[in-house]
Structures are given as C-alpha cells and as structure tokens.
Amino acid sequence: MQNPVIILGAQELGVLALDAFQSNDVVVYCFLDDQVALQQKEVNEITVMGNTEDENILKLLGKKCDVFVAAEDSAARKSLTKMLKEDYKVVPVNAIHKFSYVSEHAWLGHGNFIQAGAIVNSNAKVGDNCIIGSRAVVEANAVLEDHVQLGSGAMVNTGVTIAEGAFIGTGAVIVSGVKIGKNARVGAGAVVVADVAAKQTVFGNPAKPV
C-alpha cells in the first residue's frame, strides 16, 4: 500500500493530480500551496495545510508520507524537486491515473504525471517530472527527457526525442524520428516534420519557426 501523499500545489495541476491518486485509492494527506488565499481551506475536500516550505508538514516525508510536486510553473516544479532532494532526501512519486495505459516495458523516472486516457507504449522512456496530458500518446522507443510537458491529445511518434524542458501543445503531432530541442515550444495542433532547435518556438502544419 502506498503511503499517503502530500501534494505541493493546490491549483489546477494539483487538483488533477489528486484525481489521479484517488483513482488508485491512494490517500492524499494534504495540499501545500504558496497562495495565501488557499491556505487552511479545502480543495475538493482536501485541506491546504500551509505553504510549500512548511517544515512541520514536510518532516513527515519519507517513512510516513510521499510527495508529489504539482506547481503550475515548470521552473517552480524544478526548484521544489531540488529542495525535496537536498533538504528531505526524497524524490516525488509518480501520479498515474487509473485510466491511463503505461506499458510494463516502458521506463519511467520520478515525479511524472500521466493523466487519464494517456498512453505510454513499449520501450518508451520518460524522464523525471514530466506531464503527459489526457489522451496524449508516447509511442514505442520515444524519449521524453526531464521536465517535458505534453498537452492533451499530443502524439509523439516512434523514435522521437524531446529534450529537457520542452513544451508540446494540445493536439500537436511529432513525426517519427524528429528531435525537439531543450526548452523548445511546439504550438497547439502543429505537425512537426523536422527537428526543432533548442529554445525555438514552432507553429503550423507543417510546423515553422515564429
């Protein structure tokens, strides 16, 4: 039985993570969020007990509680994950919705969020702290490095590599074998047929830099 989970972040991403844990009958102990207006209130019947630096709550991490980072901003997620490793010697658990599919032959790191309807196929590799939206597909032998975000319905085809921090918009299609560079951004609905450079933003069908 998995330990109760503390979710860092009580806004949209945190609420979705709560749903994923509850779909697997995992108890969520509480939320922590830095927005003062949310603290000491309930979000979907789970109390926001304090902020993300609350030592009285975070001291439970390890033997008594696990943790998941659901901060909205990717830089904040990265910073919180670093804090957890350095100060509390823990890494975030994965939040995988019951109604997603992850092949037993796929490889997953830590702190990933895989939403309802998403598919991660055989021999795909997903690093740490990735977000895979509802109905997104990661095909066989595709690689998602750390902190990658796939919007709902995105299609990552066979042999694609998506570098750290890249963002793939809702409904985008990445054609087989394409490489997406570090911190690149692919617009919603784009069809990417050629490699995308680091920090580049592309839109359209076929996708072009903007």
Side-chain angles (χ1 to χ4, degrees):
M1 184 69 180
Q2 184 173 326
N3 288 331
V5 176
I6 297 169
I7 298 178
L8 306 190
Q11 299 175 53
E12 181 179 356
L13 195 61
V15 170
L16 291 170
L18 170 65
D19 184 56
F21 285 119
Q22 291 181 336
S23 76
N24 291 291
D25 297 322
V26 174
V27 173
V28 171
Y29 180 76
C30 71
F31 287 111
L32 297 177
D33 196 284
D34 293 334
Q35 187 170 321
V36 175
L38 289 175
Q39 292 168 15
Q40 307 308 318
K41 295 184 178 179
E42 288 191 353
V43 176
N44 287 19
E45 300 181 353
I46 303 297
T47 303
V48 182
M49 290 189 173
N51 63 42
T52 58
E53 297 180 354
D54 191 323
E55 295 181 0
N56 290 325
I57 302 297
L58 294 176
K59 69 182 181 182
L60 299 173
L61 298 178
K63 293 182 178 180
K64 293 185 178 180
C65 286
D66 292 322
V67 64
F68 180 79
V69 177
E72 301 292 321
D73 177 71
S74 60
R77 290 197 302 275
K78 186 178 292 189
S79 176
L80 286 169
T81 300
K82 181 179 179 182
M83 177 272 290
L84 292 168
K85 289 180 180 179
E86 292 179 352
D87 296 350
Y88 296 94
K89 313 304 180 190
V90 297
V91 294
V93 295
N94 291 318
I96 302 174
H97 199 284
K98 178 180 179 179
F99 295 117
S100 64
Y101 169 77
V102 178
S103 169
E104 64 180 12
H105 300 294
W107 186 92
L108 298 181
H110 300 285
N112 296 299
F113 181 24
I114 301 178
Q115 297 183 37
I119 296 172
V120 180
N121 272 321
S122 180
N123 296 321
K125 182 177 180 181
V126 178
D128 296 335
N129 303 306
C130 295
I131 298 173
I132 300 177
S134 299
R135 302 181 309 283
V137 177
V138 181
E139 285 287 10
N141 300 306
V143 175
L144 275 56
E145 296 182 1
D146 298 345
H147 304 288
V148 167
Q149 184 169 343
L150 303 183
S152 298
M155 170 66 75
V156 177
N157 279 289
T158 302
V160 167
T161 298
I162 302 179
E164 180 181 345
F167 174 86
I168 311 299
T170 299
V173 176
I174 316 298
V175 171
S176 296
V178 164
K179 296 181 179 179
I180 307 294
K182 185 176 180 178
N183 295 323
R185 298 181 67 84
V186 174
V191 178
V192 183
V193 298
D195 292 354
V196 177
K199 298 184 179 179
Q200 193 171 60
T201 298
V202 298
F203 284 93
N205 180 9
K208 295 180 180 180
V210 296

